[in-house]
Amino acid sequence: MIQRKLIVGNWKMNPATLEDARRIARKTRTAAAQLVQTDVVICPPSIFAAALISKKNTPNFNLGAQTASFEESGSHTGQISAAMLKNIGMTHVIVGHSEERAAGDTDEMISRRIRAVLEAGLTPVVCVGEKSRDNEGGAHFEFLKDQIRNTFANISEKYAREIVLAYEPVWAIGAKEAMSPEQIYEMSLFVKKVFGDVFGQASAMKVPVVYGGSVTFRNAADIIAIGQVDGLLVGRESVNVTGFVELLKVVDTAKADGVN
Ligand code: PEP
């Protein structure tokens, strides 16, 4: 059986206008409709999201959010609940992005967000990743282990198969180059193993791991093929619609040996 790939586009605080958001979403949806074995989720700023929900049925194209409140409802000025995101037709939520962690989110807060997203019936795309790499001592392995264990500490095992794990080394986000595909392969196995420490090895075998950090249409095929990840979390290139459409095509046709 062919394993489907998942490409998540994190638009962050882009583009500046609804008109541009509509254009990028429309072109991405059209490209997604041509794909054979790839699912696409775009995560626009929430203010634009409702306007981007289409009546056209493109089963492998969905919308996601960039975060969600861990509260259910009530007096939480400025926040949006997971149930609201689900209500307008979203399917995924990015949780624990490094920019959200840098703005003050702790592992415990992220854990609460994951729970809220799962309880609302949405798929959390949970970001984990080391801030720097310690090639000599390997301290980044310990960092990641703690981060993953703490992030999922309060999540019931019954939800393990609903989670997407996004491995995003923070130093590779917004950078000139991605992590090498060989290192991505090594690290994706490691994060899976630690996920297995929390939820059991059977769940670790099933959890999709996507890689994020300076992915473009140029490096995407090798990351999929050599890195052997289940998909990609794409920042800048996801709003550069020409590049993103090309990226979707190369991922859809990427072969296991790294050659298109
Ligand atoms: C991100 O912010 O999740 C990301 C991967 O960004 P970029 O692709 O721009 O490095």
Side-chain angles (χ1 to χ4, degrees):
M1 197 181 83
I2 297 168
Q3 177 75 37
R4 294 185 70 77
K5 300 287 178 270
L6 173 67
I7 307 298
V8 181
N10 176 12
W11 289 12
K12 309 194 187 193
M13 205 164 71
N14 300 296
T17 66
L18 178 57
E19 192 186 1
D20 277 346
R22 282 200 164 109
R23 178 181 54 81
I24 298 167
R26 191 181 60 246
K27 290 191 173 174
T28 305
R29 178 187 296 107
T30 304
Q34 308 300 316
L35 306 176
V36 176
Q37 49 184 337
T38 308
D39 297 318
V40 183
V41 176
I42 56 165
C43 302
S46 290
I47 185 81
F48 294 150
L52 304 185
I53 301 282
S54 168
K55 291 195 182 65
K56 285 187 192 141
N57 183 18
T58 312
N60 67 332
F61 175 82
N62 283 296
L63 258 74
Q66 297 174 17
T67 188
S69 176
F70 44 71
E71 304 288 357
E72 268 181 43
S73 64
S75 306
H76 305 290
T77 303
Q79 298 198 36
I80 299 175
S81 74
M84 290 169 181
L85 301 170
K86 167 104 174 164
N87 180 258
I88 68 155
M90 288 188 166
T91 56
H92 291 66
V93 182
I94 297 171
V95 188
H97 191 278
S98 63
E99 286 154 18
E100 193 167 52
R101 290 179 187 267
D105 255 25
T106 60
D107 290 341
E108 198 245 330
M109 289 160 78
I110 289 159
S111 185
R112 291 178 69 191
R113 289 190 204 284
I114 297 169
R115 215 165 51 221
V117 167
L118 287 163
E119 282 169 1
L122 295 162
T123 302
V125 179
V126 181
C127 302
V128 296
E130 73 278 9
K131 292 191 188 118
S132 58
R133 227 179 130 79
D134 172 15
N135 287 325
E136 310 270 287
H140 54 285
F141 288 112
E142 281 309 307
F143 176 91
L144 259 178
K145 211 190 272 180
D146 285 349
Q147 190 185 54
I148 295 170
R149 287 183 178 162
N150 295 337
T151 296
F152 293 110
N154 296 312
I155 307 300
S156 158
E157 208 178 320
K158 73 175 180 194
Y159 287 128
R161 308 256 167 115
E162 317 292 326
I163 294 167
V164 173
L165 202 49
Y167 170 61
E168 294 209 300
V170 179
W171 53 269
I173 296 176
K176 280 205 183 112
E177 277 184 42
M179 185 181 236
S180 75
E182 291 77 10
Q183 282 178 336
I184 291 170
Y185 177 63
E186 176 195 26
M187 296 309 291
S188 69
L189 290 181
F190 181 74
V191 297
K192 253 181 199 277
K193 189 203 156 292
V194 182
F195 189 85
D197 294 344
V198 182
F199 292 115
Q201 286 313 309
S203 298
M205 302 284 283
K206 296 264 172 174
V207 67
V209 177
V210 302
Y211 165 82
S214 299
V215 179
T216 68
F217 74 88
R218 291 192 171 83
N219 58 20
D222 279 352
I223 292 174
I224 290 285
I226 302 168
Q228 294 192 32
V229 281
D230 302 295
L232 304 167
L233 176 49
V234 185
R236 287 159 296 171
E237 190 83 317
S238 67
V239 280
N240 165 27
V241 74
T242 313
F244 196 56
V245 166
E246 191 55 31
L247 179 152
L248 296 179
K249 285 186 201 156
V250 300
V251 167
D252 201 51
T253 54
K255 302 268 188 341
D257 60 2
V259 181
N260 265 318

